[in-house]
Amino acid sequence: MNTAPTPQPSHRPAAAAGGLHDDAEDRRLVACVCAHELAAFESLYRRYHPRLCRFLHRMLRPEHLVEEVLDDTMIVVWNQAERFNGTSKVSTWIFAIAYRKALKALSRHEDPVPDTAEDDADHPAADPAERPDARMSLAQARAAIDTALRTLSADQRAAVELTYFHGFSYPEIAQIVDCPTDTVKTRMFHARKRLKTAFGGQLDDWL
Amino acid sequence: MSGQILRLEPDPHVAVQRLLPWYLTGRLETAEHDIVETHLAQCPECRAELETERQWQLLHPGHGAQVDVEEGWARMRARLSGQVPATAPAPLDTAMPAPAVRRRGWLPPAWRTPARLPSRAWAAPALLSAGLAAAIVFTLRPAAPVAPLAQYHGLAAPAETSATAVVRFRPDATEAQIRHGLKDSGARLVDGPTVSDAYVVRLPREHYAAALDKLRKEPGVALVEALESASP
């Protein structure tokens, strides 16, 4: 069907599902944390707790690891607030710390899924006979996608999560995971391809 | 990022499809957004891909780990209160936050060197200054490494009848204000100063909430944080 795309009301950032924090407020809080103001740190902790939980749950899996890495991340924020140099958003800085901590935890606890998404030969499309009933609910479809996301590499999971849920731009994701911007786009492209392959490309059946 | 040089893929379809996730979340810069929009207006294949991308975003799982923020913060607070120097603390007069206190010389010279503390001086509760300094000295003996908070036993009531809190005094607090604040709330200094110039105090558990309130209202007190639940 040749229809024009739905016009976007604005190309400026819209709040993604995870919400975009007020960076000005974050910066004010970080400045107070530099002075070791516990109340400001508590505010910052509470602002970031749900987002970091969500992100780390995607990156890791056992709940105790999520708590451990979240605590380690915020301790770094407390102890090294003066290292935030203001060239990025506070959210980018904090997520970058969380990402590095998560990778370290993964290397200690899991065998990492190799980032070989360029070659989907090892991941054939799902057998139609094994595809779940088309009447499966949205919740079940999301659960199945959740399972499929676990087959991605850590880098791909991070790209998908940071884009779809946390609303970061690809340059910001590049800062978080410390790679070139083209690499972020490539990882995301192949992650989407891999997810679609896992569902045989019949996305409509799930809705 | 303004001024960024746009390097497009040789295949315009691939170039646009690589940007679709951020087009949908509204996180493309103006130039790239316009390129995508212009291409979509002319390409039904990429519009179909856009619709697929939109469905993927709708299906993206919205749940996460159920980690309670209150438990998390309590754990973080406990971890922060344990950040005390492992080496011998500085002599008390340099550790106190208020220059005015030092100028007044509120500590007798003998007390400024904890190692020379007479062994029974703490047993004179009628001397408030001595008692206060003794509580500090008892727990800040230079030879002993700083123990985790839970192992501290101050001169106050046993741990099960008292509860801890973190207190930070104002930089301009006087010795009299500090002493009054501690005495009025029934607080006993048990640890500190930490790297953030905070002190850990023990308060009577039976009146924990009221004691916290009293401390917070003291003019010399900048911050009070409960470390335990207020319920007895």
Side-chain angles (χ1 to χ4, degrees):
Chain A
M1 180 183 297
N2 294 336
T3 56
T6 303
Q8 298 293 315
S10 168
H11 67 272
R12 295 322 301 164
L20 291 177
H21 273 173
D22 176 1
D23 189 55
E25 175 62 10
D26 282 352
R27 285 171 185 258
R28 187 191 71 79
L29 291 172
V30 168
C32 293
V33 172
C34 283
H36 279 131
E37 289 187 20
L38 192 62
F41 181 62
E42 180 178 359
S43 293
L44 199 62
Y45 181 93
R46 288 178 184 276
R47 280 164 77 84
Y48 277 88
H49 184 272
R51 300 178 74 192
L52 290 177
C53 275
R54 161 80 199 207
F55 175 62
L56 293 171
H57 180 72
R58 182 63 63 209
M59 294 297 297
L60 309 163
R61 187 54 59 174
E63 195 166 296
H64 74 276
L65 275 187
V66 172
E67 292 175 356
E68 176 187 316
V69 173
L70 194 152
D71 286 354
D72 288 348
T73 298
M74 293 309 293
I75 279 289
V76 170
V77 171
W78 171 258
N79 287 330
Q80 299 182 22
E82 69 279 1
R83 289 200 180 182
F84 174 67
N85 59 18
T87 57
S88 70
K89 287 184 184 174
V90 171
S91 56
T92 307
W93 177 63
I94 292 179
F95 269 81
I97 298 169
Y99 178 74
R100 287 196 298 274
K101 292 289 182 187
L103 289 186
K104 280 189 184 169
L106 280 172
S107 68
R108 287 196 307 267
H109 293 92
E110 289 181 19
D111 291 327
V113 175
D115 190 2
T116 56
E118 290 79 0
D119 179 5
D120 285 316
D122 295 332
H123 302 279
D127 182 348
E130 293 178 354
R131 277 208 333 255
D133 192 319
R135 289 167 294 180
M136 189 171 290
S137 68
L138 184 61
Q140 289 168 316
R142 281 180 166 160
I145 291 175
D146 189 49
T147 301
L149 284 168
R150 294 183 213 177
T151 68
L152 302 179
S153 69
D155 291 337
Q156 289 172 335
R157 291 203 299 276
V160 170
E161 180 71 8
L162 292 171
T163 299
Y164 284 155
F165 189 82
H166 296 279
F168 285 104
S169 66
Y170 69 83
E172 287 169 339
I173 296 173
Q175 286 183 301
I176 290 170
V177 305
D178 193 22
C179 72
T181 54
D182 274 352
T183 302
V184 173
K185 285 190 269 184
T186 300
R187 285 176 183 167
M188 189 65 178
F189 183 78
H190 288 291
R192 287 151 60 209
K193 196 171 155 192
R194 201 156 157 174
L195 289 172
K196 285 174 200 171
T197 301
F199 285 85
Q202 301 301 317
L203 189 60
D204 288 345
D205 288 352
W206 293 88
L207 299 178
Chain B
M1 208 177 289
S2 61
Q4 183 183 19
I5 296 174
L6 300 177
R7 294 187 293 119
L8 296 180
E9 294 278 341
D11 183 340
H13 301 290
V14 172
V16 164
Q17 288 173 19
R18 279 157 62 90
L19 295 174
L20 287 181
W22 297 285
Y23 174 80
L24 276 172
T25 58
R27 294 310 314 275
L28 284 182
E29 290 299 321
T30 307
E32 285 182 321
H33 177 271
D34 292 347
I35 288 172
V36 171
E37 206 152 71
T38 301
H39 178 86
L40 287 173
Q42 302 157 3
C43 178
E45 174 194 337
C46 288
R47 283 202 298 274
E49 185 64 28
L50 174 70
E51 193 51 35
T52 301
E53 189 65 31
R54 196 190 309 278
Q55 299 300 335
W56 273 113
Q57 291 201 349
L58 287 174
L59 283 177
H60 193 67
H63 59 82
Q66 300 303 314
V67 182
D68 184 76
V69 64
E70 299 302 331
E71 283 182 12
W73 176 244
R75 204 172 47 242
M76 177 64 50
R77 216 169 37 187
R79 193 164 165 179
L80 291 177
S81 71
Q83 284 188 349
V84 291
T87 55
L92 194 59
D93 60 351
T94 60
M96 292 307 296
V101 172
R102 290 202 298 274
R103 283 200 295 274
R104 288 189 176 202
W106 64 284
L107 280 182
W111 298 97
R112 293 181 190 156
T113 308
R116 297 208 297 268
L117 176 65
S119 63
R120 294 187 183 182
W122 64 270
L127 295 174
L128 185 60
S129 300
L132 174 64
I136 296 167
V137 166
F138 181 79
T139 58
L140 297 180
R141 282 175 296 178
V146 175
L149 185 61
Q151 296 176 18
Y152 266 103
H153 298 290
L155 298 177
E160 53 272 17
T161 63
S162 62
T164 50
V166 170
V167 178
R168 190 143 55 88
F169 300 102
R170 294 172 56 88
D172 56 354
T174 63
E175 171 266 331
Q177 285 174 332
I178 293 170
R179 201 151 41 99
H180 179 269
L182 294 173
K183 182 181 173 189
D184 205 43
S185 59
R188 294 289 183 268
L189 287 172
V190 293
D191 202 355
T194 67
V195 292
S196 56
D197 286 335
Y199 292 82
V200 180
V201 298
R202 282 203 183 279
L203 298 165
R205 186 178 289 280
E206 195 178 31
H207 308 295
Y208 187 53
L212 289 171
D213 243 2
K214 271 190 184 172
L215 261 180
R216 286 188 178 112
K217 289 175 181 161
E218 288 293 326
V221 170
L223 174 79
V224 177
E225 288 287 341
L227 286 179
E228 301 177 44
S229 161
S231 54

